[in-house]
Amino acid sequence: QQPVQSPQAVILREGEDAVINCSSSKALYSVHWYRQKHGEAPVFLMILLKGGEQKGHDKISASFNEKKQQSSLYLTASQLSYSGTYFCGTEWGKTSYDKVIFGPGTSLSVIP
Amino acid sequence: DTEVTQTPKHLVMGMTNKKSLKCEQHMGHRAMYWYKQKAKKPPELMFVYSYEKLSINESVPSRFSPECPNSSLLNLHLHALQPEDSALYLCASSQVRDQPQHFGDGTRLSIL
């Protein structure tokens, strides 16, 4: 079962903030976040584990709400380089090691 | 430049041809993956190899045949493909569970 992402698309001006959400109907073990630019490979951003804390680097951070089976990716003071499609990938537990299922993606465009 | 190398970058083949996609990583990762990605869609998991053994097959048609000759190499053998198999085929690798997947740049496959 594919996780659900919202919004589907967002347009930001440089310096604005954005939040991308990822939710699952099944209990999550971990959530992966990747960014893919047009014509390029997906690039890893971060992984959040069940029981783990909020993570972040630079102006991108993420949280994992186990009760809601939801993760959120926070992009602050957006830069032009943040443009791309953001995918969350979910793992559901011991019976599905390595099985990361990606959500449909959120297209993010940062304009000057 | 990515640390996972995929060849060829582009491949055009007829429905009766046999061809192979190749993926190589020298990061000592123990898991390797094949994904299929259609335009504006997320990567879709096909196969996972863990310690050179096939651990996940996502009910992929038998016209796709994976092979892992050693811990650094992953092949995807193609035979009698259909036009709907045209897509970007991505290879990825990861160290252990809960670690990032590193993606190659992909092979863009077109079936005539």
Side-chain angles (χ1 to χ4, degrees):
Chain A
Q1 288 146 318
Q2 188 181 50
V4 175
Q5 282 187 240
S6 63
Q8 285 187 328
V10 59
I11 299 175
L12 300 173
R13 292 204 176 274
E14 265 186 297
E16 290 182 337
D17 302 340
V19 180
I20 300 172
N21 297 307
C22 175
S23 62
S24 170
S25 57
K26 289 174 65 172
L28 291 172
Y29 170 78
S30 70
V31 179
H32 303 221
W33 286 98
Y34 290 81
R35 175 172 61 212
Q36 186 176 28
K37 292 181 182 283
H38 182 69
E40 298 181 9
V43 173
F44 169 76
L45 295 175
M46 61 192 74
I47 290 176
L48 296 103
L49 305 180
K50 184 179 176 180
E53 54 196 42
Q54 182 159 338
K55 284 196 170 187
H57 73 94
D58 200 11
K59 297 186 174 71
I60 299 176
S61 62
S63 63
F64 185 2
N65 185 322
E66 291 177 41
K67 283 188 180 178
K68 291 185 177 180
Q69 301 304 325
Q70 178 177 309
S71 177
S72 296
L73 186 72
Y74 306 94
L75 301 106
T76 58
S78 59
Q79 307 166 16
L80 294 175
S81 61
Y82 285 5
S83 294
T85 300
Y86 289 77
F87 294 105
C88 70
T90 52
E91 277 186 284
W92 291 306
K94 292 181 183 178
T95 57
S96 58
Y97 282 126
D98 299 324
K99 185 171 176 176
V100 176
I101 304 299
F102 288 94
T106 295
S107 174
L108 187 138
S109 300
V110 181
I111 58 176
Chain B
D1 287 343
T2 57
E3 296 165 314
V4 176
T5 305
Q6 289 187 243
T7 55
K9 292 195 184 302
H10 301 274
L11 179 62
V12 179
M13 56 187 286
M15 288 191 284
T16 58
N17 292 158
K18 282 186 182 181
K19 295 285 184 184
S20 296
L21 309 185
K22 182 178 170 183
C23 174
E24 195 165 0
Q25 59 90 10
H26 294 288
M27 295 177 282
H29 288 173
R30 61 92 191 155
M32 296 186 77
Y33 313 78
W34 280 116
Y35 289 90
K36 173 182 177 181
Q37 187 175 28
K38 293 277 218 180
K40 299 189 185 299
K41 297 290 185 183
E44 182 183 337
L45 184 64
M46 299 174 71
F47 303 103
V48 180
Y49 274 83
S50 179
Y51 296 106
E52 302 169 46
K53 292 194 172 160
L54 183 66
S55 58
I56 295 176
N57 176 343
E58 287 290 277
S59 302
V60 178
S62 60
R63 56 186 185 269
F64 294 92
S65 174
E67 179 197 19
C68 189
N70 60 56
S71 60
S72 300
L73 274 176
L74 186 66
N75 298 320
L76 186 63
H77 302 297
L78 315 172
H79 173 55
L81 295 193
Q82 304 298 307
E84 62 265 26
D85 296 323
S86 297
L88 179 68
Y89 288 83
L90 292 162
C91 173
S93 68
S94 67
Q95 176 62 301
V96 293
R97 194 178 186 198
D98 307 334
Q99 293 297 310
Q101 290 188 22
H102 296 252
F103 284 84
D105 288 333
T107 293
R108 193 159 299 280
L109 177 66
S110 298
I111 307 299
L112 300 179

